Short mmCIF file of all heavy atoms in Angstrom, two decimals:
data_model
loop_
_atom_site.label_atom_id
_atom_site.label_comp_id
_atom_site.label_asym_id
_atom_site.label_seq_id
_atom_site.Cartn_x
_atom_site.Cartn_y
_atom_site.Cartn_z
N ILE A 79 101.38 111.01 89.65
CA ILE A 79 101.92 109.66 89.50
C ILE A 79 101.74 109.17 88.07
O ILE A 79 102.65 108.60 87.46
CB ILE A 79 101.25 108.70 90.49
CG1 ILE A 79 101.61 109.08 91.93
CG2 ILE A 79 101.63 107.25 90.21
CD1 ILE A 79 100.84 108.31 92.98
N CYS A 80 100.54 109.39 87.53
CA CYS A 80 100.23 108.87 86.19
C CYS A 80 100.92 109.66 85.08
O CYS A 80 100.94 109.20 83.93
CB CYS A 80 98.72 108.86 85.98
SG CYS A 80 97.84 107.73 87.10
N ARG A 81 101.50 110.80 85.41
CA ARG A 81 102.36 111.48 84.44
C ARG A 81 103.76 110.88 84.44
O ARG A 81 104.49 110.97 83.46
CB ARG A 81 102.45 112.98 84.75
CG ARG A 81 101.21 113.77 84.37
CD ARG A 81 101.51 115.25 84.24
NE ARG A 81 101.98 115.83 85.48
CZ ARG A 81 101.19 116.47 86.34
NH1 ARG A 81 99.89 116.58 86.09
NH2 ARG A 81 101.68 116.99 87.45
N GLU A 82 104.14 110.29 85.56
CA GLU A 82 105.48 109.73 85.70
C GLU A 82 105.57 108.27 85.26
O GLU A 82 106.62 107.82 84.81
CB GLU A 82 105.93 109.84 87.17
CG GLU A 82 106.03 111.27 87.67
CD GLU A 82 106.21 111.35 89.17
OE1 GLU A 82 106.23 110.28 89.83
OE2 GLU A 82 106.35 112.47 89.68
N ARG A 83 104.47 107.54 85.38
CA ARG A 83 104.46 106.14 84.98
C ARG A 83 103.04 105.74 84.59
O ARG A 83 102.08 106.43 84.93
CB ARG A 83 104.99 105.24 86.10
CG ARG A 83 104.20 105.27 87.37
CD ARG A 83 104.99 104.71 88.55
NE ARG A 83 105.69 103.48 88.20
CZ ARG A 83 106.52 102.85 89.02
NH1 ARG A 83 106.75 103.35 90.23
NH2 ARG A 83 107.12 101.74 88.66
N GLU A 84 102.93 104.62 83.88
CA GLU A 84 101.62 104.21 83.41
C GLU A 84 100.75 103.74 84.57
O GLU A 84 101.19 103.03 85.46
CB GLU A 84 101.74 103.08 82.38
CG GLU A 84 100.41 102.65 81.81
CD GLU A 84 100.53 101.55 80.76
OE1 GLU A 84 101.68 101.17 80.43
OE2 GLU A 84 99.48 101.08 80.29
N CYS A 85 99.48 104.14 84.51
CA CYS A 85 98.50 103.71 85.50
C CYS A 85 97.45 102.83 84.83
O CYS A 85 97.15 103.00 83.64
CB CYS A 85 97.80 104.91 86.13
SG CYS A 85 98.87 105.93 87.18
N ALA A 86 96.88 101.91 85.60
CA ALA A 86 95.79 101.10 85.09
C ALA A 86 94.65 102.01 84.65
O ALA A 86 94.37 103.04 85.27
CB ALA A 86 95.31 100.13 86.17
N SER A 87 93.99 101.63 83.58
CA SER A 87 92.96 102.46 82.99
C SER A 87 91.74 102.55 83.90
O SER A 87 91.16 101.54 84.29
CB SER A 87 92.55 101.90 81.62
OG SER A 87 91.57 102.70 81.02
N ALA A 88 91.36 103.79 84.25
CA ALA A 88 90.23 104.00 85.15
C ALA A 88 89.61 105.36 84.90
O ALA A 88 90.26 106.27 84.38
CB ALA A 88 90.67 103.88 86.61
N LEU A 89 88.35 105.50 85.27
CA LEU A 89 87.63 106.77 85.15
C LEU A 89 87.21 107.21 86.54
O LEU A 89 86.52 106.49 87.26
CB LEU A 89 86.39 106.60 84.27
CG LEU A 89 85.44 107.81 84.19
CD1 LEU A 89 86.14 109.00 83.52
CD2 LEU A 89 84.16 107.46 83.45
N ASN A 90 87.64 108.42 86.93
CA ASN A 90 87.30 108.96 88.24
C ASN A 90 85.96 109.69 88.15
O ASN A 90 85.81 110.63 87.38
CB ASN A 90 88.40 109.92 88.71
CG ASN A 90 88.23 110.33 90.17
OD1 ASN A 90 87.15 110.19 90.74
ND2 ASN A 90 89.30 110.81 90.78
N ARG A 91 85.00 109.24 88.96
CA ARG A 91 83.68 109.87 88.98
C ARG A 91 83.41 110.56 90.31
O ARG A 91 82.30 110.95 90.61
CB ARG A 91 82.59 108.82 88.73
CG ARG A 91 82.78 108.05 87.43
CD ARG A 91 81.53 107.31 87.02
NE ARG A 91 81.07 106.34 88.01
CZ ARG A 91 80.11 105.45 87.76
NH1 ARG A 91 79.53 105.43 86.58
NH2 ARG A 91 79.74 104.59 88.69
N SER A 92 84.47 110.76 91.11
CA SER A 92 84.31 111.24 92.48
C SER A 92 83.76 112.66 92.55
O SER A 92 82.90 112.97 93.37
CB SER A 92 85.64 111.18 93.22
OG SER A 92 86.19 109.89 93.14
N MET A 93 84.26 113.55 91.69
CA MET A 93 83.88 114.95 91.81
C MET A 93 82.43 115.20 91.40
O MET A 93 81.87 116.24 91.68
CB MET A 93 84.84 115.82 90.98
CG MET A 93 86.28 115.76 91.48
SD MET A 93 86.39 116.06 93.26
CE MET A 93 88.11 115.69 93.57
N ASN A 94 81.82 114.22 90.73
CA ASN A 94 80.41 114.34 90.36
C ASN A 94 79.50 113.65 91.36
O ASN A 94 78.29 113.62 91.18
CB ASN A 94 80.18 113.75 88.96
CG ASN A 94 80.96 114.49 87.89
OD1 ASN A 94 81.10 115.71 87.96
ND2 ASN A 94 81.46 113.77 86.90
N SER A 95 80.09 113.09 92.41
CA SER A 95 79.31 112.36 93.40
C SER A 95 78.83 113.31 94.48
O SER A 95 79.56 114.20 94.91
CB SER A 95 80.16 111.25 94.03
OG SER A 95 79.48 110.68 95.12
N PRO A 96 77.58 113.15 94.93
CA PRO A 96 77.09 114.00 96.02
C PRO A 96 77.67 113.63 97.37
O PRO A 96 77.54 114.38 98.34
CB PRO A 96 75.57 113.75 95.99
CG PRO A 96 75.43 112.36 95.46
CD PRO A 96 76.55 112.20 94.46
N GLY A 97 78.32 112.47 97.46
CA GLY A 97 78.85 112.00 98.73
C GLY A 97 80.19 112.63 99.07
O GLY A 97 80.74 113.47 98.34
N CYS A 98 80.75 112.20 100.19
CA CYS A 98 82.05 112.70 100.64
C CYS A 98 82.82 111.56 101.27
O CYS A 98 82.26 110.52 101.62
CB CYS A 98 81.88 113.83 101.66
SG CYS A 98 81.03 113.31 103.19
N GLY A 99 84.13 111.74 101.38
CA GLY A 99 84.94 110.77 102.10
C GLY A 99 85.37 109.56 101.31
O GLY A 99 85.94 108.63 101.88
N TYR A 100 85.12 109.55 100.00
CA TYR A 100 85.53 108.41 99.21
C TYR A 100 85.66 108.80 97.74
O TYR A 100 85.07 109.78 97.29
CB TYR A 100 84.53 107.25 99.33
CG TYR A 100 83.17 107.55 98.74
CD1 TYR A 100 82.86 107.26 97.40
CD2 TYR A 100 82.17 108.13 99.52
CE1 TYR A 100 81.62 107.53 96.87
CE2 TYR A 100 80.92 108.41 98.99
CZ TYR A 100 80.65 108.11 97.66
OH TYR A 100 79.42 108.39 97.13
N SER A 101 86.45 108.05 97.04
CA SER A 101 86.59 108.19 95.59
C SER A 101 85.78 107.09 94.92
O SER A 101 85.77 105.95 95.38
CB SER A 101 88.07 108.09 95.19
OG SER A 101 88.21 107.97 93.79
N GLU A 102 85.12 107.44 93.84
CA GLU A 102 84.38 106.45 93.04
C GLU A 102 85.02 106.40 91.66
O GLU A 102 85.14 107.41 90.98
CB GLU A 102 82.92 106.83 92.91
CG GLU A 102 82.12 105.87 92.04
CD GLU A 102 80.69 106.29 91.83
OE1 GLU A 102 80.24 107.24 92.51
OE2 GLU A 102 80.00 105.68 90.98
N ARG A 103 85.44 105.20 91.27
CA ARG A 103 86.08 105.05 89.96
C ARG A 103 85.58 103.79 89.27
O ARG A 103 85.18 102.83 89.93
CB ARG A 103 87.61 104.95 90.11
CG ARG A 103 88.31 106.28 90.19
CD ARG A 103 89.78 106.11 90.46
NE ARG A 103 90.04 105.77 91.86
CZ ARG A 103 91.25 105.55 92.36
NH1 ARG A 103 92.30 105.59 91.58
NH2 ARG A 103 91.40 105.27 93.63
N ILE A 104 85.66 103.82 87.96
CA ILE A 104 85.48 102.60 87.18
C ILE A 104 86.87 102.11 86.81
O ILE A 104 87.61 102.80 86.10
CB ILE A 104 84.66 102.85 85.90
CG1 ILE A 104 83.28 103.40 86.24
CG2 ILE A 104 84.53 101.55 85.11
CD1 ILE A 104 82.47 103.77 85.01
N LEU A 105 87.24 100.96 87.30
CA LEU A 105 88.49 100.32 86.91
C LEU A 105 88.17 99.47 85.69
O LEU A 105 87.48 98.45 85.78
CB LEU A 105 89.04 99.46 88.04
CG LEU A 105 90.39 98.77 87.80
CD1 LEU A 105 91.50 99.80 87.62
CD2 LEU A 105 90.72 97.83 88.95
N TYR A 106 88.67 99.92 84.54
CA TYR A 106 88.28 99.27 83.29
C TYR A 106 88.89 97.89 83.16
O TYR A 106 89.93 97.58 83.74
CB TYR A 106 88.68 100.14 82.11
CG TYR A 106 87.86 101.40 81.96
CD1 TYR A 106 88.46 102.66 81.92
CD2 TYR A 106 86.47 101.34 81.88
CE1 TYR A 106 87.71 103.80 81.79
CE2 TYR A 106 85.71 102.48 81.75
CZ TYR A 106 86.32 103.72 81.71
OH TYR A 106 85.57 104.86 81.59
N SER A 107 88.25 97.07 82.36
CA SER A 107 88.71 95.69 82.14
C SER A 107 90.12 95.70 81.58
O SER A 107 90.50 96.61 80.83
CB SER A 107 87.77 94.95 81.19
OG SER A 107 87.75 95.56 79.92
N GLY A 108 90.88 94.70 81.93
CA GLY A 108 92.25 94.62 81.46
C GLY A 108 92.92 93.36 81.98
O GLY A 108 92.36 92.62 82.79
N ASN A 109 94.13 93.13 81.49
CA ASN A 109 94.90 91.95 81.90
C ASN A 109 95.82 92.30 83.07
O ASN A 109 96.48 93.34 83.07
CB ASN A 109 95.73 91.45 80.72
CG ASN A 109 94.89 90.69 79.70
OD1 ASN A 109 94.26 89.69 80.03
ND2 ASN A 109 94.86 91.18 78.46
N TRP A 110 95.83 91.41 84.03
CA TRP A 110 96.66 91.54 85.22
C TRP A 110 97.40 90.22 85.44
O TRP A 110 96.86 89.14 85.15
CB TRP A 110 95.82 91.84 86.46
CG TRP A 110 95.10 93.15 86.43
CD1 TRP A 110 94.02 93.48 85.64
CD2 TRP A 110 95.39 94.31 87.22
NE1 TRP A 110 93.63 94.77 85.90
CE2 TRP A 110 94.44 95.29 86.87
CE3 TRP A 110 96.36 94.59 88.20
CZ2 TRP A 110 94.45 96.56 87.46
CZ3 TRP A 110 96.35 95.84 88.79
CH2 TRP A 110 95.41 96.82 88.42
N THR A 111 98.62 90.30 85.95
CA THR A 111 99.31 89.09 86.40
C THR A 111 99.06 88.94 87.90
O THR A 111 99.13 89.91 88.64
CB THR A 111 100.81 89.15 86.12
OG1 THR A 111 101.37 90.33 86.73
CG2 THR A 111 101.08 89.18 84.62
N THR A 112 98.76 87.72 88.32
CA THR A 112 98.31 87.49 89.69
C THR A 112 99.01 86.28 90.28
O THR A 112 99.26 85.29 89.59
CB THR A 112 96.78 87.27 89.73
OG1 THR A 112 96.14 88.46 89.25
CG2 THR A 112 96.30 86.98 91.14
N THR A 113 99.32 86.37 91.57
CA THR A 113 99.88 85.24 92.30
C THR A 113 99.32 85.23 93.71
O THR A 113 98.88 86.27 94.24
CB THR A 113 101.41 85.30 92.33
OG1 THR A 113 101.93 84.07 92.85
CG2 THR A 113 101.91 86.45 93.21
N ARG A 114 99.31 84.08 94.32
CA ARG A 114 98.81 83.92 95.68
C ARG A 114 99.84 84.41 96.69
O ARG A 114 101.04 84.25 96.50
CB ARG A 114 98.48 82.45 95.94
CG ARG A 114 97.96 82.16 97.34
CD ARG A 114 97.57 80.69 97.47
NE ARG A 114 98.72 79.82 97.29
CZ ARG A 114 99.55 79.47 98.27
NH1 ARG A 114 99.35 79.93 99.51
NH2 ARG A 114 100.56 78.66 98.04
#
Side-chain angles (χ1 to χ4, degrees):
I79 295 172
C80 296
R81 285 200 298 264
E82 298 169 358
R83 61 197 316 175
E84 182 179 357
C85 292
S87 181
L89 173 65
N90 190 341
R91 304 196 301 190
S92 306
M93 296 310 172
N94 297 324
S95 171
C98 62
Y100 66 91
S101 169
E102 178 184 351
R103 276 175 284 179
I104 300 175
L105 182 64
Y106 289 124
S107 63
N109 284 301
W110 295 71
T111 56
T112 298
T113 190
R114 180 176 63 87

